[in-house]
């Protein structure tokens, strides 16, 4: 007997799209485009850009604590 440790109360959901990666979002942006995001999203975007040779970003923190992130390359 194999016990997986998964509750059988799980609900199967169909046709839920897989979220795009941060790098996919950045690559879909044109140079000069920007997005406003929270700290967690900013860190994800920055890390993705830092790990990419084809995408670079610049960011500034806004007065409300959010970030504006621009694609610069």
């Amino acid at each position: 007997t194999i016990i997986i440790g998964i509750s059988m109360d799980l609900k199967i959901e169909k046709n839920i799209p897989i979220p795009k990666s941060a790098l996919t979002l950045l690559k879909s942006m044109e140079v000069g485009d920007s997005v406003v995001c929270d700290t967690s999203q900013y860190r994800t975007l920055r890390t993705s850009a830092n790990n990419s040779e084809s995408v670079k970003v610049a960011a500034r923190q806004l007065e409300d604590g959010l970030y504006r992130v621009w694609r610069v390359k």
Side-chain angles (χ1 to χ4, degrees), residues 36-51:
V36 174
C37 56
D38 64 26
T39 302
S40 175
Q41 294 165 325
Y42 162 65
R43 289 179 180 155
T44 300
L45 291 171
R46 182 187 64 204
T47 300
S48 293
N50 287 345
N51 291 329

Side-chain angles (χ1 to χ4, degrees), residues 7-67:
S7 170
M8 290 301 143
D9 295 334
L10 297 176
K11 178 183 175 188
I12 297 173
E13 298 178 324
K14 300 184 183 289
N15 301 316
I16 305 297
I18 299 172
K20 293 184 179 183
S21 72
L23 188 57
T24 301
L25 170 68
L26 291 171
K27 286 183 174 183
S28 72
M29 296 169 65
E30 295 179 16
V31 172
D33 288 352
S34 67
V35 294
V36 174
C37 56
D38 64 26
T39 302
S40 175
Q41 294 165 325
Y42 162 65
R43 289 179 180 155
T44 300
L45 291 171
R46 182 187 64 204
T47 300
S48 293
N50 287 345
N51 291 329
S52 171
E53 293 183 15
S54 63
V55 175
K56 297 299 175 202
V57 298
R60 299 293 182 272
Q61 189 169 18
L62 306 175
E63 291 180 9
D64 57 6
L66 296 176
Y67 288 83

